[in-house]
Amino acid sequence: MTTQSKAIAASVPATAGITLAFITGLALLMASGYAQTTALHDAAHDGRHAMAFPCH
């Protein structure tokens, strides 16, 4: 009886994609939080309430 084992390694493109998505999300969050334009800030604020995410 023989058994075979294979190692599963995370590929570099997958890791890069996850990192890029995280940085993009963080940038969007910061941009909407510190936006000087009232309309942009209010839109993000309403979006947080629509997702039942407490923001204040």
Side-chain angles (χ1 to χ4, degrees):
M1 184 183 297
T2 60
T3 58
Q4 294 180 352
S5 62
K6 295 181 181 180
I8 300 174
S11 65
V12 174
T15 305
I18 291 170
T19 304
L20 181 63
F22 177 77
I23 291 171
T24 302
L26 188 61
L28 289 171
L29 179 66
M30 293 307 233
S32 66
Y34 291 110
Q36 296 297 321
T37 306
T38 304
L40 179 61
H41 178 81
D42 290 345
H45 185 98
D46 293 343
R48 287 190 293 260
H49 280 291
M51 293 183 292
F53 184 79
C55 58
H56 44 125

